[in-house]
Short mmCIF file of all heavy atoms in Angstrom, two decimals:
data_model
loop_
_atom_site.label_atom_id
_atom_site.label_comp_id
_atom_site.label_asym_id
_atom_site.label_seq_id
_atom_site.Cartn_x
_atom_site.Cartn_y
_atom_site.Cartn_z
N GLY M 1 86.69 96.82 98.50
CA GLY M 1 85.80 97.97 98.59
C GLY M 1 86.59 99.26 98.43
O GLY M 1 87.35 99.41 97.48
N GLN M 2 86.44 100.16 99.38
CA GLN M 2 87.14 101.44 99.34
C GLN M 2 88.52 101.39 100.00
O GLN M 2 89.25 102.37 99.99
CB GLN M 2 86.29 102.51 100.03
CG GLN M 2 84.96 102.76 99.35
CD GLN M 2 85.13 103.27 97.93
OE1 GLN M 2 85.92 104.17 97.68
NE2 GLN M 2 84.38 102.71 97.00
N ASP M 3 88.87 100.25 100.61
CA ASP M 3 90.14 100.13 101.33
C ASP M 3 91.24 99.60 100.42
O ASP M 3 91.01 98.73 99.58
CB ASP M 3 90.00 99.18 102.53
CG ASP M 3 89.11 99.76 103.61
OD1 ASP M 3 89.14 100.99 103.81
OD2 ASP M 3 88.37 98.99 104.25
N ALA M 4 92.44 100.13 100.62
CA ALA M 4 93.60 99.69 99.85
C ALA M 4 94.78 99.46 100.79
O ALA M 4 95.05 100.27 101.67
CB ALA M 4 93.98 100.73 98.81
N LEU M 5 95.44 98.33 100.59
CA LEU M 5 96.66 98.01 101.33
C LEU M 5 97.84 98.08 100.37
O LEU M 5 97.74 97.62 99.24
CB LEU M 5 96.61 96.58 101.89
CG LEU M 5 95.55 96.25 102.91
CD1 LEU M 5 95.72 94.78 103.34
CD2 LEU M 5 95.63 97.16 104.11
N LEU M 6 98.93 98.63 100.85
CA LEU M 6 100.18 98.65 100.10
C LEU M 6 101.23 97.95 100.92
O LEU M 6 101.45 98.31 102.09
CB LEU M 6 100.62 100.08 99.81
CG LEU M 6 99.65 100.95 99.01
CD1 LEU M 6 100.18 102.37 98.90
CD2 LEU M 6 99.43 100.37 97.63
N LEU M 7 101.85 96.94 100.35
CA LEU M 7 102.93 96.21 101.00
C LEU M 7 104.09 96.12 100.03
O LEU M 7 103.88 95.99 98.82
CB LEU M 7 102.49 94.79 101.38
CG LEU M 7 101.31 94.66 102.32
CD1 LEU M 7 100.06 94.31 101.55
CD2 LEU M 7 101.58 93.62 103.36
N GLN M 8 105.29 96.17 100.55
CA GLN M 8 106.48 96.10 99.70
C GLN M 8 107.32 94.90 100.11
O GLN M 8 107.47 94.61 101.30
CB GLN M 8 107.29 97.38 99.82
CG GLN M 8 108.41 97.47 98.82
CD GLN M 8 109.08 98.83 98.88
OE1 GLN M 8 109.25 99.40 99.94
NE2 GLN M 8 109.47 99.33 97.72
N ILE M 9 107.86 94.21 99.12
CA ILE M 9 108.69 93.04 99.37
C ILE M 9 109.83 93.42 100.32
O ILE M 9 110.48 94.45 100.15
CB ILE M 9 109.25 92.47 98.05
CG1 ILE M 9 108.11 92.04 97.12
CG2 ILE M 9 110.22 91.31 98.30
CD1 ILE M 9 107.16 91.00 97.68
N ASP M 10 110.04 92.57 101.33
CA ASP M 10 111.11 92.71 102.34
C ASP M 10 110.99 93.97 103.20
O ASP M 10 111.96 94.44 103.77
CB ASP M 10 112.49 92.66 101.68
CG ASP M 10 112.76 91.33 100.99
OD1 ASP M 10 112.28 90.30 101.50
OD2 ASP M 10 113.42 91.32 99.95
N ASN M 11 109.77 94.49 103.34
CA ASN M 11 109.54 95.69 104.14
C ASN M 11 108.39 95.41 105.12
O ASN M 11 107.32 94.97 104.70
CB ASN M 11 109.18 96.86 103.22
CG ASN M 11 109.13 98.19 103.93
OD1 ASN M 11 108.93 98.26 105.14
ND2 ASN M 11 109.29 99.25 103.18
N VAL M 12 108.60 95.68 106.41
CA VAL M 12 107.57 95.39 107.41
C VAL M 12 106.59 96.54 107.61
O VAL M 12 105.74 96.48 108.49
CB VAL M 12 108.19 95.00 108.78
CG1 VAL M 12 108.93 93.68 108.68
CG2 VAL M 12 109.08 96.11 109.32
N THR M 13 106.68 97.57 106.79
CA THR M 13 105.71 98.67 106.86
C THR M 13 104.60 98.42 105.85
O THR M 13 104.85 98.23 104.67
CB THR M 13 106.38 100.02 106.57
OG1 THR M 13 107.47 100.21 107.48
CG2 THR M 13 105.40 101.16 106.74
N MET M 14 103.37 98.39 106.35
CA MET M 14 102.19 98.22 105.50
C MET M 14 101.38 99.52 105.60
O MET M 14 101.34 100.15 106.65
CB MET M 14 101.35 97.04 106.00
CG MET M 14 100.03 96.84 105.27
SD MET M 14 99.09 95.39 105.84
CE MET M 14 98.49 95.97 107.43
N TYR M 15 100.74 99.90 104.50
CA TYR M 15 99.90 101.09 104.51
C TYR M 15 98.47 100.70 104.18
O TYR M 15 98.23 99.97 103.22
CB TYR M 15 100.39 102.10 103.46
CG TYR M 15 101.76 102.64 103.78
CD1 TYR M 15 102.90 102.00 103.31
CD2 TYR M 15 101.90 103.78 104.55
CE1 TYR M 15 104.16 102.49 103.61
CE2 TYR M 15 103.16 104.27 104.86
CZ TYR M 15 104.29 103.62 104.38
OH TYR M 15 105.53 104.10 104.69
N LYS M 16 97.54 101.16 105.02
CA LYS M 16 96.11 100.98 104.73
C LYS M 16 95.54 102.37 104.55
O LYS M 16 95.53 103.19 105.49
CB LYS M 16 95.39 100.26 105.87
CG LYS M 16 93.90 100.09 105.60
CD LYS M 16 93.18 99.39 106.72
CE LYS M 16 91.70 99.27 106.40
NZ LYS M 16 90.96 98.65 107.51
N ASN M 17 95.07 102.64 103.35
CA ASN M 17 94.51 103.96 103.03
C ASN M 17 95.46 105.08 103.43
O ASN M 17 95.06 106.11 103.95
CB ASN M 17 93.14 104.13 103.68
CG ASN M 17 92.16 103.08 103.24
OD1 ASN M 17 92.22 102.59 102.11
ND2 ASN M 17 91.26 102.70 104.12
N GLY M 18 96.76 104.84 103.25
CA GLY M 18 97.76 105.85 103.55
C GLY M 18 98.27 105.87 104.97
O GLY M 18 99.24 106.56 105.28
N ASN M 19 97.65 105.10 105.86
CA ASN M 19 98.07 105.04 107.26
C ASN M 19 99.08 103.91 107.46
O ASN M 19 98.82 102.76 107.09
CB ASN M 19 96.87 104.85 108.19
CG ASN M 19 95.91 106.00 108.11
OD1 ASN M 19 96.32 107.16 108.19
ND2 ASN M 19 94.63 105.71 107.93
N GLU M 20 100.20 104.24 108.07
CA GLU M 20 101.30 103.30 108.25
C GLU M 20 101.04 102.36 109.43
O GLU M 20 100.56 102.76 110.48
CB GLU M 20 102.56 104.11 108.52
CG GLU M 20 103.80 103.29 108.72
CD GLU M 20 105.02 104.17 108.95
OE1 GLU M 20 105.30 105.04 108.11
OE2 GLU M 20 105.66 103.98 109.99
N LYS M 21 101.41 101.09 109.23
CA LYS M 21 101.36 100.10 110.31
C LYS M 21 102.56 99.17 110.13
O LYS M 21 102.84 98.71 109.03
CB LYS M 21 100.07 99.29 110.26
CG LYS M 21 100.03 98.24 111.35
CD LYS M 21 98.75 97.46 111.40
CE LYS M 21 98.87 96.45 112.51
NZ LYS M 21 97.67 95.78 112.81
N ILE M 22 103.25 98.89 111.23
CA ILE M 22 104.36 97.94 111.20
C ILE M 22 103.78 96.55 111.43
O ILE M 22 103.03 96.32 112.38
CB ILE M 22 105.40 98.28 112.29
CG1 ILE M 22 105.92 99.70 112.11
CG2 ILE M 22 106.54 97.27 112.26
CD1 ILE M 22 106.56 100.00 110.77
N ILE M 23 104.13 95.62 110.55
CA ILE M 23 103.66 94.23 110.67
C ILE M 23 104.83 93.35 111.06
O ILE M 23 105.99 93.73 110.93
CB ILE M 23 103.00 93.76 109.36
CG1 ILE M 23 103.92 93.94 108.15
CG2 ILE M 23 101.69 94.52 109.14
CD1 ILE M 23 103.35 93.44 106.83
N ASP M 24 104.53 92.17 111.59
CA ASP M 24 105.61 91.32 112.12
C ASP M 24 106.39 90.55 111.07
O ASP M 24 107.50 90.11 111.32
CB ASP M 24 105.07 90.37 113.20
CG ASP M 24 104.03 89.40 112.69
OD1 ASP M 24 103.60 89.52 111.52
OD2 ASP M 24 103.63 88.51 113.45
N THR M 25 105.82 90.40 109.87
CA THR M 25 106.49 89.65 108.82
C THR M 25 106.38 90.40 107.50
O THR M 25 105.29 90.82 107.11
CB THR M 25 105.83 88.26 108.65
OG1 THR M 25 105.85 87.58 109.91
CG2 THR M 25 106.54 87.43 107.62
N ALA M 26 107.48 90.57 106.83
CA ALA M 26 107.49 91.27 105.54
C ALA M 26 107.05 90.34 104.41
O ALA M 26 107.34 89.14 104.44
CB ALA M 26 108.88 91.81 105.24
N PRO M 27 106.39 90.88 103.40
CA PRO M 27 106.12 90.08 102.20
C PRO M 27 107.46 89.65 101.58
O PRO M 27 108.47 90.32 101.74
CB PRO M 27 105.40 91.06 101.27
CG PRO M 27 104.87 92.13 102.16
CD PRO M 27 105.84 92.23 103.29
N THR M 28 107.42 88.54 100.89
CA THR M 28 108.64 88.02 100.27
C THR M 28 108.30 87.32 98.97
O THR M 28 107.13 87.08 98.67
CB THR M 28 109.37 87.07 101.24
OG1 THR M 28 110.66 86.77 100.73
CG2 THR M 28 108.60 85.78 101.47
N ILE M 29 109.31 86.99 98.21
CA ILE M 29 109.12 86.22 96.98
C ILE M 29 109.85 84.89 97.15
O ILE M 29 111.04 84.86 97.48
CB ILE M 29 109.66 86.98 95.75
CG1 ILE M 29 108.88 88.28 95.56
CG2 ILE M 29 109.57 86.10 94.51
CD1 ILE M 29 109.40 89.17 94.47
N ILE M 30 109.11 83.80 96.94
CA ILE M 30 109.66 82.45 97.05
C ILE M 30 109.31 81.71 95.77
O ILE M 30 108.12 81.62 95.42
CB ILE M 30 109.10 81.70 98.28
CG1 ILE M 30 109.44 82.45 99.57
CG2 ILE M 30 109.62 80.26 98.32
CD1 ILE M 30 108.78 81.88 100.81
N ASN M 31 110.30 81.20 95.08
CA ASN M 31 110.08 80.46 93.84
C ASN M 31 109.19 81.24 92.86
O ASN M 31 108.23 80.72 92.32
CB ASN M 31 109.48 79.08 94.11
CG ASN M 31 110.40 78.19 94.90
OD1 ASN M 31 111.62 78.26 94.76
ND2 ASN M 31 109.84 77.38 95.77
N SER M 32 109.51 82.51 92.68
CA SER M 32 108.79 83.39 91.76
C SER M 32 107.34 83.66 92.16
O SER M 32 106.54 84.09 91.34
CB SER M 32 108.84 82.85 90.33
OG SER M 32 110.16 82.74 89.88
N ARG M 33 106.99 83.39 93.40
CA ARG M 33 105.64 83.65 93.92
C ARG M 33 105.72 84.69 95.02
O ARG M 33 106.60 84.63 95.88
CB ARG M 33 105.00 82.38 94.51
CG ARG M 33 104.87 81.24 93.54
CD ARG M 33 103.68 81.44 92.67
NE ARG M 33 103.52 80.26 91.83
CZ ARG M 33 102.71 80.21 90.82
NH1 ARG M 33 102.00 81.26 90.51
NH2 ARG M 33 102.61 79.14 90.10
N THR M 34 104.80 85.63 95.01
CA THR M 34 104.75 86.65 96.04
C THR M 34 103.95 86.13 97.23
O THR M 34 102.80 85.71 97.07
CB THR M 34 104.10 87.94 95.50
OG1 THR M 34 104.86 88.37 94.37
CG2 THR M 34 104.06 89.02 96.55
N MET M 35 104.56 86.16 98.40
CA MET M 35 103.92 85.71 99.63
C MET M 35 103.69 86.92 100.53
O MET M 35 104.61 87.71 100.76
CB MET M 35 104.81 84.70 100.36
CG MET M 35 105.22 83.51 99.55
SD MET M 35 103.80 82.47 99.19
CE MET M 35 104.53 81.30 98.07
N VAL M 36 102.44 87.08 101.00
CA VAL M 36 102.13 88.16 101.92
C VAL M 36 101.66 87.55 103.24
O VAL M 36 101.11 86.44 103.26
CB VAL M 36 101.04 89.11 101.34
CG1 VAL M 36 101.54 89.80 100.09
CG2 VAL M 36 99.75 88.39 101.09
N PRO M 37 101.86 88.25 104.34
CA PRO M 37 101.41 87.71 105.64
C PRO M 37 99.89 87.75 105.74
O PRO M 37 99.28 88.82 105.84
CB PRO M 37 102.08 88.64 106.65
CG PRO M 37 102.38 89.89 105.91
CD PRO M 37 102.56 89.51 104.47
N VAL M 38 99.28 86.59 105.69
CA VAL M 38 97.81 86.49 105.60
C VAL M 38 97.14 87.11 106.82
O VAL M 38 96.10 87.76 106.69
CB VAL M 38 97.36 85.03 105.36
CG1 VAL M 38 97.63 84.15 106.55
CG2 VAL M 38 95.90 85.00 104.97
N ARG M 39 97.69 86.94 108.01
CA ARG M 39 97.06 87.52 109.20
C ARG M 39 97.02 89.04 109.09
O ARG M 39 95.99 89.67 109.35
CB ARG M 39 97.75 87.09 110.48
CG ARG M 39 97.11 87.73 111.73
CD ARG M 39 97.73 87.27 113.02
NE ARG M 39 97.48 85.88 113.31
CZ ARG M 39 96.36 85.40 113.88
NH1 ARG M 39 95.39 86.23 114.20
NH2 ARG M 39 96.23 84.12 114.11
N ALA M 40 98.12 89.66 108.71
CA ALA M 40 98.17 91.12 108.61
C ALA M 40 97.16 91.62 107.57
O ALA M 40 96.44 92.61 107.82
CB ALA M 40 99.58 91.58 108.25
#
């Protein structure tokens, strides 16, 4: 919808609509696949 999340590989800071939130697990790349923390 109108919401946007920004996550960066190996970074625990997530942005929702420009607002910063620290998450417990950083996104990563495993075997050429991008993995994001589904709960966050």
Side-chain angles (χ1 to χ4, degrees):
Q2 298 297 314
D3 292 325
L5 297 181
L6 301 175
L7 301 102
Q8 189 174 38
I9 300 302
D10 298 326
N11 189 337
V12 294
T13 304
M14 175 178 74
Y15 295 89
K16 179 181 179 183
N17 301 328
N19 297 311
E20 180 179 305
K21 179 177 179 171
I22 303 302
I23 55 178
D24 63 353
T25 304
T28 191
I29 297 174
I30 300 172
N31 296 326
S32 300
R33 301 280 185 192
T34 302
M35 304 292 173
V36 297
V38 68
R39 178 177 293 276

